[in-house]
Amino acid sequence: MHYIRPVWLTHSGEKKDFEVYSCHVSPDGSRLVTAAGDGYVRVWSTEAVFRAAEPSFDGPKQLASMSYHSGTIHTVRFSGNGRYLASGADDKIVCVYTLDPHPPSHNATFGTDEPPPVETWKIHRRLIGHDNDVQDLGWSFDSSILVSVGLDSKVVVWSGYTFEKLKTISSHQSLVKGITFDPANKYFATASDDRTVKLWRFTPPGPNSTAYDQISNFVLEKNITTPFISSPLTTYFRRCSWSPDGNHIAAANAVNGPVSSVAIINRGTWDGDIHLIGHEGPVEVCAFSPRLFSKLRPTDQPPEPRGQVNSDLVTVIACAGQDKSLTVWITSNPRPLVITQDLALKSLSDLAWTPDGTNLFVTSLDGSILCVSFDAGELGYEVSQEETDKALEKYGSGRRGAGIIEGTDGLLLEEKSREDELRGAEGRMGALMGDAPSSQIATLNGNDTPTPQPAMAPNGTMPSGDIRNVAPNGDAPANGANGQTSTPQVPEDPNKDKLERLKSRVTITKDGKKRIAPLLLSASGGHESSLPRAQLMSASKNAQGLKGDAPQTILDVSRPFDGLPKGGLASLLLGNKRKLAKIDGAEDSQVEKRIASMSRDGVVPILANSTEGLVPARPGTDVAGQQPTPDFIRPAVVNPSLTVSQVRLAVPKLRRHIVQTYGGLSGVPVPGTDVEGSADSHQSNARQTQHDIMIEARNPSQLPATGKASDQEPCRLTVSRKGQPLWQDFLPRSTLLLTGNKMFWAAACEDGSVHAWTPAGRRLVNAMVLESQPVILECKDKWLLCVTSVGMCYVWDMKTLNSPHPPVSLAPVLDVAVHSLQDHVTAGPAVTSAHINSEGRIVVSLSNGDGFAYSPSMYVWQRLTELWWAVGSQYWNTTDSSIGDLKSSSGRGNATTVSAGIVPSLERGTTTETMVRGKAFLLQRLVKQLLSREGYEGFESSVSVAHLENRMAAAMMLGSKDEFQVYLYMYAKRLGAEGHKAKVEELLRGLLGGINEEDEEAETTKGAPTSTNAEDRSWDNTSDLLCGWSRKELLKGVILILGKNRDLQRITVPYANVLGVTAEPEREGDAMVT
């Protein structure tokens, strides 16, 4: 063994050598890279180092130097394939370099002492993801991922192919200072100042993997704390290392009682019962030799049986730290093989072995870089790389289970899956650049001529103003007698001029120069990006209903709702500072002088708070003459049953004049009540005549002609079209609520009775008497919903004059079970809306953000949405491409907006309620604390999968056919990313159902896909339909989504063969190359 310390091997400065923090050797052993405090990454020739003592050597010494960081560089690492070089510094940036095959185009840099470069290393990527210094880097052995750790307590995983950030892990509670990878490519370990070494299990991602695909990857396997309970926090690094056979991890800065040591952690049990003791100070870096050694010469060893590993193999480990000493250990000797003290003047910072395991490079904070070279046989005799690979095979190295294509069917299925994904989804880069989604281009008359589509209303229907220009079948109107179609004009972008001005905006820099201000690409796009977001959104509405399915603002859940300024609504209207209004002719604006000018005999006048400030109060004038009648006459007569009921809902005021238009209040459709969200021709015609037909009720507002209060005048009901009365009727009691559609009209009176008429004015049924006053009256198609003040919900089928279920109480959804435990009446959540869908399902939303629906088949309320999903699920964001931009292909001629259904509407209501009330911050703070605990590593993933399952169950119960299909495909994609084989097999088995069974009863129930039959609302039904869809169609879609996941192809390929997905039509000249 001998030491090599060339004089030129240093990061020299004007007065002293800079501290060298890291070094590494390339996989081919020809290059040494070092990083130091001068901000340079220098690449050296290892041959020049080994031959430094030869005067005849005239080869290049420094091959290249890069200075792309703005601070001290702490770590530098070559990738396993030798293609990339990565460095991390205290400027919070990770730089990735690649070698340019062309020779350098310049000589030495002018004005410096740098030698001319021999190689050109160009910057390939600058990775930004840390909030503090980057302390260490690590490449996986197959170079599929790069992991960086830093002083921000984060572990950031980058793709080794695209260098996209795949995941950020924030489980450590203090500075992270070390990272090492398992040579079997199954785990990596991180060491932190929180006195733990955390072990992470991962599956190597593919070249096209995204952050969405790696949600469930990189899972915490073990948290090791025992050897580090009292370890010091004074070390600059905690660089650990993994043995080449995968059996052990050497963890630096461990303690064994009061003595500093290196903990050897055993694989499998992950315990650290072995310690390397001998260093007087904390150990900062450990490095296993990349090769295994044998005690005997290869020629003297007897041949091992095939498949068995040589039991005489030993590993070599080097340790260094703050005591400025270097030790080298081998597993066959309980004492160190080499002990070198005072190797440098300051702490040793990094160690790097050459690939052959015979040379060790050492760096120190005193600026020195030296090489320890071992002679043949000193450490043992190197074994071949095949022996090392054989030792790793028992841990699954080199194989990835079902990741290998096992047949032509799997390859065809993967190709079909990728073709379907590329054909049906928009490119991620197109979304990032703000391109229009593909759904904006339509096909005209079967040709490929693109024509602009008319704008869609928020609920997926045509706007009422465009109905005149669309034929009932959805085609463009014929132009003249020849029937030629006319292409509608593309509306001009109202922001076009604004964007042009922004592009040519001139700004003046600090030095007085004029520059064109850059315009962000995302700001110039006319469409919102469909990339996933993690923030909670707040849905905004305007006076004309929902402006769009995508929320308009992004609110920070770390504080309560910030839509109003400090001081609330009053400060928004009047301002926070009360100041005197300006007096005409007064030049002095001081408050004291103006108050004194208005005072008389030292008395301060009474001031009134107005929108213009504080002004002198004006005496009010006496009211004379007849006063206008208010909108309401009086409170309705409250039924005595309210005093003993568990639920008490507010009774509406008795208004003098009530007007209800055809199909909805003030011509605005009720959001969320249309299950399908489609725009059929009869619905479009109905909306066109909303403002034409209306019903009005005039309640008596004065004393009757007899003068007695008991002789109440009747209520007059009138139905008119464009001002012309169609029919009229009278009711003996005052009317509270009105509703109606094309099938019937209904009115609810203050005595608890409900009346119904046909469109022509014929009484449908006798007055239906309820136990208390109605507070909500809604209709949808043939269904009528009435909610009374004691919380009873009645649903009637006005076509057959029956009810699908007995009256149901709102008590379960109003937390009566919790509030009834108290001695007195307490306020519970309020009912913000109650609607009924086209199948007679009651849908209720509350002020606490929860949404419920009543299942008549199970006679129970089901919670469809709540705040829990909002803070725990990754699918809550309604602007996600999977919800906001996806169109359902229901085969009806028009694509329907899925986000206009009941479930997305309830979720938007949950977001709005929780944002306004500030509840999201409290629950999200709890969730963040749970994520850092042991045992909650898969919390976010489990909640996200459960949220999708909750959505599917809600869509199936409500009969929301289009929503069910979209949520099913989202669920299948997530299961593929998670790799849940059991759930995938169960899902496919449930979708398969009785496709191949000859069932006469199922044959008779076949027909057009509808969601009106309750028989297809369960996974185990015997029909060929599931929530209105053909099981075969749903199964085929799920198979195409899961086809690209090779780990699941053993499950999906048999189903693909049954459906004929992998069947390729034979074409002439085609042949598979093997």
Side-chain angles (χ1 to χ4, degrees):
M1 181 188 72
H2 58 280
Y3 297 92
I4 304 174
R5 188 172 182 176
V7 178
W8 47 264
L9 188 59
T10 182
H11 287 249
S12 60
E14 295 181 358
K15 297 183 179 180
K16 66 170 185 176
D17 294 340
F18 288 94
E19 300 89 346
V20 183
Y21 291 95
S22 183
C23 64
H24 201 237
V25 181
S26 62
D28 59 358
S30 62
R31 299 177 183 90
L32 168 69
V33 60
T34 57
D38 58 351
Y40 277 87
V41 174
R42 302 185 186 274
V43 182
W44 313 87
S45 170
T46 56
E47 183 184 3
V49 176
F50 299 149
R51 301 178 61 182
E54 300 179 10
S56 60
F57 180 77
D58 57 354
K61 301 175 182 178
Q62 179 175 306
L63 303 179
S65 64
M66 297 86 74
S67 178
Y68 291 98
H69 287 284
S70 60
T72 300
I73 304 175
H74 293 152
T75 177
V76 61
R77 296 289 183 264
F78 279 104
S79 62
N81 54 17
R83 181 178 179 184
Y84 299 108
L85 172 65
S87 62
D90 60 4
D91 59 359
K92 313 172 189 177
I93 295 176
V94 176
C95 290
V96 180
Y97 314 90
T98 182
L99 180 62
D100 190 353
H102 303 288
S105 59
H106 60 281
N107 294 325
T109 305
F110 178 76
T112 64
D113 297 333
E114 294 287 332
V118 180
E119 300 176 342
T120 303
W121 287 83
K122 292 185 176 181
I123 188 75
H124 183 67
R125 289 287 190 276
R126 292 170 63 91
L127 310 180
I128 302 175
H130 284 276
D131 300 328
N132 210 328
D133 300 5
V134 179
Q135 204 71 0
D136 204 2
L137 295 171
W139 292 87
S140 63
F141 275 74
D142 61 352
S143 302
S144 60
I145 60 173
L146 168 67
V147 177
S148 59
V149 299
L151 302 186
D152 55 358
S153 307
K154 292 181 180 179
V155 178
V156 184
V157 184
W158 312 88
S159 171
Y161 306 99
T162 62
F163 295 101
E164 177 186 358
K165 182 163 63 175
L166 298 180
K167 195 168 187 178
T168 300
I169 305 172
S170 303
S171 294
H172 280 288
Q173 304 300 316
S174 188
L175 319 178
V176 188
K177 297 181 176 179
I179 169 75
T180 183
F181 269 88
D182 172 24
N185 230 35
K186 302 297 180 182
Y187 303 95
F188 66 86
T190 56
S192 169
D193 271 356
D194 59 3
R195 294 187 171 97
T196 63
V197 169
K198 295 184 183 294
L199 213 56
W200 308 92
R201 184 179 68 253
F202 75 98
T203 300
N208 298 323
S209 297
T210 62
Y212 177 84
D213 301 329
Q214 304 301 314
I215 291 175
S216 62
N217 206 353
F218 313 108
V219 180
L220 181 63
E221 176 75 11
K222 184 69 174 179
N223 190 28
I224 305 171
T225 59
T226 303
F228 317 100
I229 294 177
S230 58
S231 63
L233 304 180
T234 58
T235 58
Y236 207 80
F237 300 104
R238 288 176 179 258
R239 285 171 169 160
C240 42
S241 180
W242 211 302
S243 64
D245 57 358
N247 287 329
H248 306 97
I249 303 174
N253 199 9
V255 291
N256 187 7
V259 181
S260 298
S261 67
V262 176
I264 305 298
I265 301 171
N266 300 314
R267 189 190 186 109
T269 58
W270 309 117
D271 54 357
D273 54 350
I274 303 176
H275 291 264
L276 304 181
I277 301 175
H279 284 270
E280 297 178 358
V283 178
E284 295 198 16
V285 56
C286 304
F288 272 103
S289 173
R291 300 297 292 270
L292 294 176
F293 294 87
S294 175
K295 302 175 184 179
L296 303 177
R297 294 179 181 272
T299 56
D300 299 338
Q301 292 183 2
E304 293 289 337
R306 186 175 182 179
Q308 292 186 8
V309 182
N310 187 357
S311 59
D312 295 331
L313 301 181
V314 296
T315 56
V316 179
I317 180 175
C319 306
Q322 292 184 355
D323 59 353
K324 298 171 286 186
S325 62
L326 171 69
T327 58
V328 179
W329 308 68
I330 58 175
T331 54
S332 60
N333 194 341
R335 296 182 179 275
L337 181 66
V338 175
I339 301 177
T340 304
Q341 295 180 345
D342 297 328
L343 193 61
L345 300 178
K346 292 184 180 180
S347 300
L348 304 182
S349 56
D350 204 0
L351 303 172
W353 290 89
T354 55
D356 58 2
T358 59
N359 298 281
L360 175 65
F361 287 93
V362 185
T363 61
S364 173
L365 297 184
D366 64 353
S368 60
I369 306 171
L370 57 91
C371 175
V372 181
S373 181
F374 295 91
D375 297 330
E378 283 187 325
L379 299 177
Y381 299 95
E382 302 175 32
V383 299
S384 62
Q385 187 63 37
E386 289 76 11
E387 288 290 335
T388 305
D389 296 339
K390 189 186 300 183
L392 292 174
E393 284 182 358
K394 59 183 177 181
Y395 301 125
S397 175
R399 65 177 188 269
R400 296 181 58 183
I404 303 175
I405 293 293
E406 299 184 359
T408 57
D409 291 339
L411 184 61
L412 291 174
L413 176 60
E414 186 174 350
E415 292 178 355
K416 290 283 186 180
S417 175
R418 296 196 178 278
E419 290 176 3
D420 183 75
E421 183 178 3
L422 293 176
R423 182 172 57 252
E426 179 186 354
R428 298 181 67 254
M429 185 56 67
L432 183 63
M433 301 297 290
D435 295 341
S438 58
S439 59
Q440 298 290 331
I441 305 300
T443 304
L444 181 62
N445 298 332
N447 300 325
D448 293 334
T449 305
T451 58
Q453 290 283 349
M456 300 294 291
N459 58 356
T461 61
M462 293 291 184
S464 58
D466 296 338
I467 296 177
R468 299 187 302 271
N469 300 327
V470 182
N473 58 359
D475 298 331
N479 186 8
N482 54 3
Q484 296 179 355
T485 58
S486 61
T487 303
Q489 297 181 355
V490 180
E492 295 184 358
D493 187 2
N495 298 323
K496 183 178 180 181
D497 297 337
K498 181 179 178 181
L499 291 177
E500 292 297 332
R501 292 195 301 269
L502 289 175
K503 291 177 181 179
S504 59
R505 184 177 58 181
V506 178
T507 59
I508 299 177
T509 60
K510 295 181 179 180
D511 54 0
K513 297 181 180 180
K514 293 184 179 180
R515 294 289 184 268
I516 300 296
L519 177 65
L520 289 177
L521 293 175
S522 59
S524 62
H527 300 272
E528 189 168 356
S529 174
S530 62
L531 298 179
R533 294 181 180 178
Q535 301 103 322
L536 284 174
M537 299 290 182
S538 173
S540 62
K541 302 180 182 179
N542 58 6
Q544 299 178 353
L546 287 175
K547 186 176 181 180
D549 297 322
Q552 304 300 318
T553 58
I554 302 177
L555 298 182
D556 185 8
V557 297
S558 61
R559 60 178 186 269
F561 180 65
D562 54 1
L564 296 178
K566 184 178 181 180
L569 186 60
S571 63
L572 178 65
L573 298 177
L574 305 177
N576 282 324
K577 295 182 179 180
R578 297 186 178 183
K579 56 184 179 180
L580 288 175
K582 291 185 178 180
I583 305 174
D584 295 338
E587 297 180 357
D588 194 356
S589 59
Q590 292 185 5
V591 176
E592 295 80 1
K593 291 185 178 181
R594 280 187 289 162
I595 293 180
S597 65
M598 291 183 289
S599 63
R600 296 177 182 178
D601 300 330
V603 178
V604 179
I606 300 176
L607 302 177
N609 191 359
S610 68
T611 57
E612 297 180 354
L614 296 177
V615 297
R618 298 178 180 179
T621 58
D622 295 335
V623 179
Q626 185 177 3
Q627 296 300 310
T629 305
D631 292 336
F632 64 92
I633 304 170
R634 55 179 172 79
V637 179
V638 179
N639 195 297
S641 61
L642 278 177
T643 59
V644 295
S645 63
Q646 286 185 318
V647 178
R648 305 181 187 181
L649 303 182
V651 180
K653 296 283 188 179
L654 183 60
R655 292 170 291 173
R656 181 178 61 85
H657 188 200
I658 307 174
V659 179
Q660 182 81 10
T661 57
Y662 180 84
L665 181 61
S666 302
V668 180
V670 178
T673 56
D674 190 359
V675 175
E676 304 297 342
S678 61
D680 295 333
S681 59
H682 68 278
Q683 292 178 343
S684 300
N685 295 332
R687 269 184 284 271
Q688 187 178 6
T689 59
Q690 274 187 1
H691 297 278
D692 297 339
I693 303 177
M694 58 185 295
I695 182 173
E696 56 181 340
R698 294 186 178 273
N699 293 316
S701 58
Q702 299 177 356
L703 290 176
T706 60
K708 297 181 180 181
S710 59
D711 298 336
Q712 185 179 1
E713 292 184 2
C715 172
R716 184 178 60 185
L717 269 72
T718 304
V719 176
S720 60
R721 172 182 292 172
K722 295 183 179 179
Q724 298 297 325
L726 296 181
W727 57 270
Q728 192 177 61
D729 201 350
F730 297 89
L731 296 176
R733 300 290 184 270
S734 296
T735 301
L736 292 176
L737 303 168
L738 293 174
T739 189
N741 55 25
K742 64 179 181 179
M743 301 185 68
F744 64 90
W745 297 99
C749 300
E750 65 172 339
D751 63 346
S753 60
V754 178
H755 304 261
W757 298 265
T758 63
R762 176 176 57 88
R763 293 260 181 165
L764 267 175
V765 67
N766 295 330
M768 297 177 286
V769 181
L770 308 180
E771 74 283 348
S772 61
Q773 291 80 9
V775 297
I776 297 176
L777 192 67
E778 294 284 342
C779 67
K780 177 65 178 178
D781 295 340
K782 63 179 181 177
W783 301 100
L784 177 63
L785 167 67
C786 181
V787 182
T788 65
S789 57
V790 295
M792 297 299 294
C793 300
Y794 294 83
V795 178
W796 300 291
D797 185 346
M798 303 308 293
K799 185 175 181 180
T800 60
L801 299 182
N802 58 25
S803 178
H805 54 78
V808 57
S809 175
L810 285 175
V813 304
L814 296 177
D815 296 340
V816 171
V818 177
H819 293 280
S820 62
L821 300 178
Q822 302 181 11
D823 298 334
H824 55 278
V825 178
T826 57
V831 178
T832 56
S833 66
H835 302 297
I836 190 167
N837 70 350
S838 58
E839 292 193 348
R841 305 286 196 275
I842 308 173
V843 181
V844 177
S845 60
L846 305 182
S847 59
N848 60 4
D850 292 353
F852 298 86
Y854 185 75
S855 173
S857 59
M858 301 182 68
Y859 297 103
V860 71
W861 287 99
Q862 295 185 6
R863 184 185 290 110
L864 306 187
T865 177
E866 57 180 322
L867 177 59
W868 174 255
W869 306 122
V871 297
S873 173
Q874 298 167 339
Y875 293 92
W876 189 261
N877 184 359
T878 54
T879 60
D880 191 354
S881 60
S882 56
I883 305 175
D885 294 338
L886 274 184
K887 306 291 183 180
S888 173
S889 55
S890 56
R892 300 182 184 176
N894 290 328
T896 59
T897 304
V898 177
S899 56
I902 291 180
V903 177
S905 178
L906 291 176
E907 291 185 354
R908 286 195 297 269
T910 302
T911 300
T912 303
E913 292 292 341
T914 53
M915 285 294 182
V916 171
R917 301 175 188 277
K919 296 179 180 179
F921 167 66
L922 300 177
L923 189 53
Q924 193 174 59
R925 184 171 60 181
L926 172 63
V927 171
K928 287 182 178 179
Q929 293 178 354
L930 289 178
L931 291 177
S932 61
R933 291 186 184 179
E934 186 175 358
Y936 288 86
E937 295 81 11
F939 171 82
E940 193 174 14
S941 175
S942 301
V943 173
S944 300
V945 173
H947 181 213
L948 291 179
E949 295 170 349
N950 185 78
R951 279 179 167 178
M952 284 197 305
M956 181 178 292
M957 190 270 289
L958 294 171
S960 302
K961 172 183 174 182
D962 296 325
E963 292 178 44
F964 177 77
Q965 184 198 40
V966 174
Y967 295 150
L968 174 65
Y969 290 166
M970 292 169 61
Y971 181 64
K973 185 176 181 180
R974 183 57 184 259
L975 291 184
E978 296 275 358
H980 288 312
K981 295 184 179 180
K983 285 190 175 182
V984 167
E985 189 170 3
E986 184 182 56
L987 177 64
L988 297 179
R989 191 165 55 244
L991 288 174
L992 184 64
I995 292 180
N996 295 330
E997 298 178 4
E998 296 294 335
D999 191 354
E1000 297 180 359
E1001 186 175 337
E1003 291 290 336
T1004 58
T1005 58
K1006 286 184 179 180
T1010 62
S1011 59
T1012 58
N1013 292 328
E1015 301 175 356
D1016 61 352
R1017 301 298 172 77
S1018 64
W1019 295 90
D1020 296 331
N1021 70 82
T1022 57
S1023 66
D1024 290 347
L1025 301 179
L1026 184 63
C1027 198
W1029 290 95
S1030 170
R1031 287 179 177 269
K1032 187 174 183 180
E1033 181 179 353
L1034 293 178
L1035 183 59
K1036 184 177 180 180
V1038 172
I1039 287 295
L1040 289 176
I1041 291 174
L1042 297 173
K1044 65 178 181 179
N1045 298 281
R1046 295 187 176 180
D1047 294 340
L1048 302 174
Q1049 285 185 355
R1050 289 184 178 180
I1051 303 174
T1052 56
V1053 167
Y1055 290 91
N1057 293 334
V1058 172
L1059 297 176
V1061 176
T1062 57
E1064 278 286 323
E1066 295 184 0
R1067 293 174 292 184
E1068 295 182 1
D1070 288 351
M1072 179 173 291
V1073 179
T1074 58

